[in-house]
């Protein structure tokens, strides 16, 4: 699979100086953590879940979470588990059929394209071992589990169950803990909770793919809900938690993890209180003005701003609950030609001793040592999301992704 693999190869060639690299579920963890992109959540009870997964893959989704937790009622958990087992069997049959019939078809137009990375969000550790046993050989389609309300105390049992399931199945399985507990939100327990999470995730570092932020639960603890006019960073109590999580768990010194951005809850038109957050100038050419109007009408201008703030605050990728959110996340994850140029200059071997460089775009200072970690992270993102051509902006990528 690859990002923007759902659009024709000729269109990709017109957009990218360097196209996104292909990857598989067996790629190194560091690669997959960056490649997650927009992770689309779906209730595990959906009766045509296998068809949904394939349909979303054909639209550019590369990671999905099939949820047995908050997205379904307590009474539906058993039915959700049964449904997952059936749907994985259907997916396996479809994948086997595709492998036996597809030869050199273009993945962008091939209806049997690779499945996305699939994760199951469970409620308790027991479900991990039981589901893996019930999935049988179809566990080969599973990349791991999402672990809710993760703390050191709760996480130990989840991660032990994951390790056991991995041994018994012979399949590499990753954990994606969700940081959403009240202990993390409350100021008097936050430092201790973060230290505990850092300790337990370091112990199981090889199995922790990424850390996810449960901002909806953070807001719930105070009876809050942000409007579509506001990002998570406008809710100060939430922004403070995000900052502390990145501070402790997102460091670039080798001790940190990929921390993904919070969910954007809105996808239908509603009454607006504030002016749209999208400038008109990037959308002035051709049909792009219509695209700007559509984004504003569906409250996606707020999403675009939040994605930019995610990256500025050290987050990568995003939890998504609606397919319309996927392409904006991926379009804004592509590395611009300017970013790529700066990163390349900073990491040139002859700059190993440090120093200051004028950007090739002559608009900024590139200081080699302080900017090295940023440059390394940027080039890894460039590998998975591609580098845009010099004259290609996010509007072009957004338009192509939506049309693909």
């Amino acid at each position: 699979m690859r990002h923007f693999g759902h659009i024709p190869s000729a269109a990709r060639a017109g957009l990218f100086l360097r196209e996104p690299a292909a990857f598989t579920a067996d790629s190194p963890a560091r690669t997959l953590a960056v490649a997650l992109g927009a992770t689309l959540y779906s209730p595990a009870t959906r009766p045509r879940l296998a068809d949904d997964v394939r349909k979303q893959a054909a639209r550019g989704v590369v990671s999905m979470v099939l949820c047995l937790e908050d997205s379904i009622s307590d009474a539906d958990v058993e039915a959700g588990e049964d449904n997952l087992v059936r749907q994985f069997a259907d997916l396996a049959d479809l994948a086997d059929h595709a492998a036996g019939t597809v030869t050199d078809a273009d993945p962008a137009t091939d209806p049997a394209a690779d499945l996305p990375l699939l994760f199951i969000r469970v409620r308790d550790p027991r479900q991990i071992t039981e589901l893996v046993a019930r999935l049988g050989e179809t566990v080969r389609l599973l990349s791991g589990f999402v672990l809710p309300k993760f703390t050191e105390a709760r996480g130990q049992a989840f991660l032990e169950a994951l390790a056991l399931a991995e041994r018994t199945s012979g399949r590499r399985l990753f954990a994606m803990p969700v940081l959403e507990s009240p202990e993390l939100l409350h100021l008097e327990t936050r430092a201790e909770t973060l230290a505990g999470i850092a300790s337990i995730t370091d112990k199981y570092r090889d199995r922790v793919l990424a850390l996810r932020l449960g901002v909806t639960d953070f807001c719930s603890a105070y009876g809050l809900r942000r409007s579509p006019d506001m990002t998570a960073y406008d809710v100060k109590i939430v922004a403070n938690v995000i900052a502390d999580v990145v501070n402790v768990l997102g460091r670039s010194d080798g001790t940190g993890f990929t921390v993904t951005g919070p969910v954007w809850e809105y996808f239908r038109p509603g009454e607006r209180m504030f002016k749209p957050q999208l400038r008109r100038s990037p959308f002035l050419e051709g049909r792009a003005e219509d695209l700007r109007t559509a984004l504003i009408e569906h409250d996606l201008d707020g999403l675009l701003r939040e994605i930019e703030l995610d990256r500025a605050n050290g987050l990568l990728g995003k939890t998504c609950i609606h397919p319309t959110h996927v392409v904006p996340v991926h379009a804004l994850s592509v590395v611009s030609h300017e970013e790529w140029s700066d990163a390349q200059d900073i990491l040139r071997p002859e700059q190993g001793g440090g120093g200051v460089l004028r950007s090739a775009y002559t608009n900024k200072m590139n200081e080699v040592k302080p900017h090295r970690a940023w440059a390394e992270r940027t080039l890894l993102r460039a590998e998975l999301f591609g580098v845009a051509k010099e004259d290609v902006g996010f509007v072009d990528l957004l338009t192509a992704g939506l049309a693909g």
Side-chain angles (χ1 to χ4, degrees):
M1 69 192 90
R2 72 172 76 230
H3 285 290
F4 294 92
H6 67 298
I7 69 175
S9 56
R12 288 200 307 273
L15 293 170
F16 291 99
L17 177 70
R18 295 196 172 191
E19 291 192 23
F23 59 94
T24 73
D26 296 319
S27 293
R30 185 167 181 257
T31 297
L32 295 182
V34 176
L36 287 169
T39 301
L40 184 64
Y41 275 54
S42 177
T45 51
R46 290 180 67 88
R48 298 182 61 84
L49 189 58
D51 290 337
D52 293 342
V53 168
R54 286 172 55 80
K55 181 170 67 175
Q56 296 309 326
R59 293 176 175 176
V61 173
V62 303
S63 63
M64 289 186 69
V65 173
L66 313 176
C67 184
L68 289 166
E69 208 227 357
D70 286 346
S71 69
I72 66 174
S73 72
D74 298 344
D76 290 335
V77 174
E78 185 176 347
E81 293 172 344
D82 294 341
N83 190 53
L84 281 179
V85 174
R86 288 193 301 271
Q87 301 294 335
F88 266 74
D90 289 347
L91 284 171
D93 287 344
L94 291 167
D96 291 343
H97 175 72
T101 58
V102 175
T103 54
D104 297 322
D106 182 353
T109 58
D110 173 21
D114 290 334
L115 297 177
L117 303 171
L118 296 177
F119 301 85
I120 298 174
R121 177 166 169 152
V122 292
R123 294 186 173 214
D124 59 69
R126 167 196 59 81
Q127 289 177 301
I128 293 177
T129 50
E130 290 184 0
L131 279 170
V132 166
R134 292 183 64 188
L135 287 172
E137 66 87 21
T138 67
V139 75
R140 61 190 165 89
L141 304 180
L142 182 66
S143 291
F145 291 89
V146 175
L147 314 180
K149 299 172 180 59
F150 190 89
T151 62
E152 182 178 24
R154 282 175 53 84
Q156 181 72 41
F158 277 113
L159 292 168
E160 287 177 354
L162 183 75
L164 176 60
E166 191 175 61
R167 290 195 300 270
T168 57
S169 68
R171 168 71 180 167
R172 182 182 69 167
L173 296 169
F174 288 114
M176 290 203 290
V178 185
L179 309 185
E180 57 186 348
S181 66
E183 299 97 313
L184 183 59
L185 182 61
H186 297 156
L187 185 60
E188 65 272 19
T189 53
R190 187 180 307 164
E192 180 181 358
T193 302
L194 278 171
I197 293 171
S199 176
I200 190 69
T201 52
D202 184 62
K203 181 180 177 181
Y204 289 88
R205 176 169 294 275
D206 291 344
R207 291 189 174 88
V208 177
L209 184 62
L211 304 176
R212 311 199 73 87
L213 287 164
V215 165
T216 301
D217 281 51
F218 289 162
C219 291
S220 173
Y222 289 89
L224 304 176
R225 186 173 192 179
R226 70 187 191 275
S227 74
D229 295 308
M230 297 184 180
T231 71
Y233 302 92
D234 294 312
V235 183
K236 297 305 180 185
I237 197 165
V238 170
N240 289 339
V241 181
I242 294 174
D244 288 344
V245 166
V246 174
N247 189 323
V248 175
L249 299 167
R251 299 176 186 180
S252 61
D253 59 1
T255 66
F257 297 89
T258 294
V259 183
T260 65
V263 68
W264 182 258
E265 298 178 347
Y266 297 94
F267 50 87
R268 293 191 182 278
E271 184 179 1
R272 304 184 67 93
M273 182 178 295
F274 299 109
K275 290 182 179 180
Q277 301 179 64
L278 284 180
R279 290 186 300 112
R280 188 178 299 274
S281 54
F283 295 87
L284 289 180
E285 296 184 12
R287 293 180 60 249
E289 178 66 22
D290 294 336
L291 173 61
R292 177 180 181 272
T293 300
L295 291 170
I296 292 169
E297 286 179 348
H298 288 79
D299 292 325
L300 294 183
D301 54 323
L303 169 63
L304 294 173
R305 176 167 173 75
E306 187 167 284
I307 296 166
E308 286 286 271
L309 289 170
D310 285 341
R311 191 160 77 245
N313 284 276
L315 309 183
L316 185 63
K318 201 164 186 65
T319 295
C320 295
I321 46 84
H322 197 271
T324 57
H325 298 170
V326 172
V327 172
V329 172
H330 292 167
L332 286 173
S333 297
V334 174
V335 171
S336 70
H337 184 273
E338 182 173 348
E339 290 177 304
W340 180 76
S341 174
D342 288 340
Q344 289 279 101
D345 286 347
I346 290 165
L347 295 177
R348 293 188 191 283
E350 61 268 27
Q351 302 301 335
V356 177
L357 307 169
R358 185 176 68 169
S359 165
Y361 275 70
T362 67
N363 60 357
K364 73 177 76 63
M365 171 192 74
N366 289 327
E367 195 167 353
V368 173
K369 288 184 178 179
H371 290 145
R372 177 170 293 274
W374 169 85
E376 291 171 347
R377 191 173 188 179
T378 298
L379 290 190
L380 183 56
R381 180 163 56 91
E383 179 183 346
L384 276 307
F385 289 94
V387 178
K389 288 186 173 180
E390 191 168 1
D391 59 346
V392 170
F394 86 93
V395 174
D396 303 297
L397 294 161
L398 200 57
T399 303
L402 292 170

